[in-house]
Amino acid sequence: MAEASTTGRVRHPSHAGSWYSADGTALADELGAYLRAVPSSASTHPTRAPRALIAPHAGYSYSGPAAAWAYKAVDPRVVRRVFLLGPSHHVFLKQCALTTCDAYRTPMGDLEVDARVVAELRATGAFAEMSLSVDEDEHSLEMHLPYIREVFKSEAKKPTLVPVLVGALSNAAEKKYGDIFATYLNDPENLFVVSSDFCHWGKRFGYTPFLQPEQNGALEIHESIEALDRRGMSFIETKDADGFVSYLEETKNTVCGRHPIGVFLRAVLASSKCAEREVRFVRYEQSSKAKTERDSSVSYASAVVY
C-alpha cells in the first residue's frame, strides 16, 4: 500500500522488519487496531484540538498500544505540519540537528520534509545537521512516522514533516531552542510530537534504585518505578521546566527524551498562549512488572497537550 517513490534524498525505514512490520498493509492494520482500542473519551477534548503529543518510541509490540493513546487525540483536519523532536541514542550532540533529507519513507508511504521551515531553522545558525547514516540509525524519530501516516490516512494531502534530533543540551540550550520553537507552537496548523520513553530500570540499564526493601516501603519495585515516573510526569503536566530539571538531577531517572521534553516545555513557557496550554497524561504502561534484581523494564507514558 506504499505510494510511489518520492524524488530527492530519502530517509529509508531502517527499523522496518525488526522493530515493526515492513508490510504496509499489516502495519496499518496493527496501528489501526491499537487506535480503535483506545476509548474516544480518553484522549479527546470536547472543544479543543491537540497542539502537541508526548509518546514513546520502542518497538510497537512494546509501546505501540501506549502511543495510540496520544495519537488517538489528533485531529487530522487542522494539522498541516508535524514537528518531530526525538533524542539522540547513538551520536553525542550538544545541539539540535536537522535532517538533510527531502522525504522520510515508511512502509505505508512517504512523508515530505517541510523544506521551507527546515531552511528557516537552519538560518538561525543554532542547528547542526544529521548525516543520512545518523538519521537512519536513530529510532526515536522513525517510530513515530507510521503513526503519523496512519492518523492522516483520510487526508488527501499529508502533513509535511520537520524532524529534529535533540542532543544532550544544557539548561540554557533547552531554553534557546524553546524560544525558537515557541512561534511555531503558536500556529494552530502545527502539531508537535515529542518522542520519549520514561524509566529504564534494571542492571542492563545501570539504574537500579528500589532494590532494597527499605527503599520501597510496602511497594513492589514496579510500583516504586511508577511512583517515580508519575512524579516526573506531574512536573510536565504543570509546565514546570525548572522543576523537571531538578527532579532529573535528584532522581537520575533514565528518561531518554528528557531533552526533547525540556525543549518543548521551554517552548510552551515562551509561547504567548502558555496559560492556555493544558498538558494531560492519558496513559502509563511498563514493558514488564519488575519485582526482583533480575528483572528489567521500560516505562511508556503518553500525553496530549491542548
Side-chain angles (χ1 to χ4, degrees):
M1 61 180 293
E3 299 171 349
S5 298
T6 301
T7 57
R9 187 177 174 91
V10 176
R11 182 207 184 278
H12 290 272
S14 54
H15 294 75
S18 53
W19 290 52
Y20 59 93
S21 175
D23 181 287
T25 300
L27 182 57
D29 289 345
E30 179 184 3
L31 299 186
Y34 292 152
L35 289 164
R36 289 190 297 273
V38 179
S40 296
S41 60
S43 297
T44 55
H45 193 285
T47 59
R48 302 165 71 184
R51 304 302 301 278
L53 312 175
I54 299 172
H57 54 237
Y60 288 148
S61 63
Y62 295 99
S63 70
W69 284 72
Y71 279 101
K72 180 81 168 189
V74 174
D75 185 346
R77 299 169 298 177
V78 300
V79 176
R80 297 293 174 265
R81 184 180 301 106
V82 177
F83 285 75
L84 179 53
L85 278 59
S88 177
H89 288 85
H90 304 288
V91 174
F92 181 77
L93 298 169
K94 289 188 175 181
Q95 295 173 275
C96 290
L98 300 170
T99 185
T100 58
C101 294
D102 301 302
Y104 277 36
R105 181 151 297 157
T106 83
M108 300 152 69
D110 293 353
L111 288 164
E112 179 185 351
V113 171
D114 196 306
R116 179 183 65 81
V117 172
V118 169
E120 289 175 357
L121 295 176
R122 187 174 289 117
T124 66
F127 292 82
E129 288 190 342
M130 287 184 274
S131 67
L132 181 60
S133 61
V134 167
D135 205 338
E136 291 186 341
D137 282 346
E138 183 55 58
H139 65 273
S140 72
L141 302 176
E142 180 178 335
M143 296 307 296
H144 290 277
L145 305 177
Y147 255 123
I148 294 169
R149 283 287 314 194
E150 177 63 19
V151 297
F152 287 93
K153 66 181 180 181
S154 61
E155 299 301 302
K157 184 171 177 57
K158 303 298 183 284
T160 55
L161 191 68
V162 183
V164 180
L165 189 65
V166 180
L169 306 181
S170 66
N171 294 339
E174 288 184 359
K175 185 178 185 303
K176 176 182 72 174
Y177 286 109
D179 289 343
I180 292 172
F181 288 121
T183 300
Y184 296 100
L185 185 61
N186 286 333
D187 186 341
E189 293 191 342
N190 293 335
L191 175 72
F192 276 72
V193 175
V194 182
S195 178
S196 183
D197 298 335
F198 275 70
C199 183
H200 299 61
W201 191 92
K203 291 185 176 179
R204 58 186 288 231
F205 300 115
Y207 187 69
T208 55
F210 317 123
L211 276 182
Q212 304 304 318
E214 61 270 19
Q215 295 175 301
N216 298 3
L219 300 179
E220 296 274 11
I221 291 174
H222 65 88
E223 294 171 324
S224 296
I225 293 169
E226 179 170 353
L228 171 71
D229 280 329
R230 289 196 180 277
R231 185 178 161 209
M233 291 156 62
S234 70
F235 287 109
I236 299 169
E237 287 189 319
T238 56
K239 299 172 286 188
D240 186 352
D242 290 332
F244 185 60
V245 170
S246 296
Y247 157 83
L248 292 170
E249 290 175 347
E250 173 200 341
T251 65
K252 312 300 182 187
N253 193 2
T254 47
V255 180
C256 59
R258 64 182 63 194
H259 295 297
I261 292 171
V263 168
F264 177 72
L265 288 176
R266 297 296 181 182
V268 171
L269 293 173
S271 165
S272 62
K273 298 182 179 180
C274 174
E276 301 175 24
R277 300 281 179 248
E278 175 189 353
V279 184
R280 183 195 308 169
F281 275 92
V282 294
R283 190 67 172 175
Y284 177 84
E285 299 179 5
Q286 294 173 353
S287 60
S288 62
K289 301 297 185 183
K291 295 182 178 181
T292 74
E293 63 182 79
R294 296 185 299 276
D295 298 330
S296 63
S297 73
V298 180
S299 304
Y300 310 121
S302 291
V304 182
V305 183
Y306 293 101

